[in-house]
Amino acid sequence: MSHADRILMGPGPGNPYPQVIKAFGRPVLGHLDPDFIALLDETNDRLREVFRTANPLTFPVSATGSAGMEATFVNVLGPGDTVVIGVNGVFGERMCDVASRCGATVVRVDAEWGQALDPQDLLDAHPDPKVIAVVHAETSTGVRNDIAPIGAGKGDALLLVDCVTSLGGIPLEIDAWGVDLAYSGTQKCLGVPPGLSPVTVSAAAIDRFVEKPQSWYLDLQMIARYVTSGGERAYHHTAPISMIYALHAGLGVVLEEGLENVQARHQACGDKLQAGLVDRGFELFAQEGHRLPELTSVLIPPGRLPEGLDEAGVRGRLLSEYGIEIGGGLGPVAGKVWRIGCMGHTARIRNVTLLLAALDEILG
Ligand SMILES: *Cc1c(COP(=O)(O)O)cnc(C)c1O
């Protein structure tokens, strides 16, 4: 099956690819061209709509989701600052690495992989942290961590949230939940190719920016003079024009379908997939009540694998014979779970039906 077949599988509402491909074909304007600036402003408006925020500093960082993580951390954390970080998967671990490279003191709050973090544990971990950081949707385990209670109890701390796999996929309320800094990615539930990291920052966080962040490229005070509408636009770095066209188009598709409808589509697919797996005797890995619809983690039953085929072999057959890519486990659950992403334009019932039928054929 060709790449094109896979990407275009499942046309219908919520498939941004026709628009995204057209967007990549648009003439590349200069990064200070008034027409491009207007399109950037409109992209940032659309991001405010999907993030559910009024933050003026809302824009796509010019690199993937991990750069959004780094951009938010380096601007509020330096030597002498304390950050509480929730860790129940790969991306919480990555936050600890990034924060310690900023010179900050890291207070870890761990939960078992597959379990959700207890918001109260994060609030109790330190009497006066500058930042509390948590991953909303842990892509490595399929677990959703609750954000609203942390925002409600954060006191003077800034709340920093990884929304890479939640934006567009599940309800997310930056302003109503009291989130001060958040970053996302284009290639997860928004269904746009990888390359940008939408970021949003509250006025309270801007007030507490470190004076000189340890990254020149990701210094949000400098970038703000280019991305924030109102004042004179000042060159910082050349915006990746075509990627911003693509994100603008992809967000347009999301808003045209309606954010709530997009989330409902993700939920319906996750529900059908998880029920289908349970019907077939599989055990879901993520804690009940905290399961992400867009990322289903399931324990691999070794006794169910056909003669001569290991779990990677099953994934290989899904890809080569059915055009379906599912993920293997990461870290401590490598080889023990499958992670099935059903997000963005791939979140459609027919894909779930096909996957379940393909598993029936391969596993017998
Ligand atoms: C994918 C992902 C990231 C990293 O994004 P990249 O685009 O790969 O840099 C960060 N956090 C979470 C939760 C993710 O799923």
Side-chain angles (χ1 to χ4, degrees), residues 64-66 91 94 135 137 139 162 164-165 187-188:
T64 66
S66 305
F91 296 103
R94 187 174 296 183
V135 177
T139 321
D162 177 318
V164 176
T165 298
Q187 78 273 24
K188 303 276 169 76

Side-chain angles (χ1 to χ4, degrees), residues 78 85 97 104 129 138 145 184 215 243 254-255 337-338:
I85 301 179
D97 192 359
E138 230 329 326
N145 290 312
S184 189
S215 166
M243 265 313 298
V254 165
L255 293 171
V337 303
W338 283 322

Side-chain angles (χ1 to χ4, degrees), residues 252-303:
V253 171
V254 165
L255 293 171
E256 194 173 86
E257 185 180 358
L259 187 55
E260 284 177 13
N261 295 334
V262 176
Q263 291 165 358
R265 179 162 52 77
H266 281 86
Q267 190 65 51
C269 289
D271 287 347
K272 182 179 169 73
L273 175 58
Q274 290 168 18
L277 290 168
V278 169
D279 277 351
R280 286 163 174 76
F282 287 89
E283 195 184 328
L284 300 176
F285 177 61
Q287 182 183 343
E288 197 170 359
H290 290 268
R291 290 177 184 147
L292 295 170
E294 67 272 38
L295 194 293
T296 294
S297 55
V298 60
L299 291 162
I300 303 162

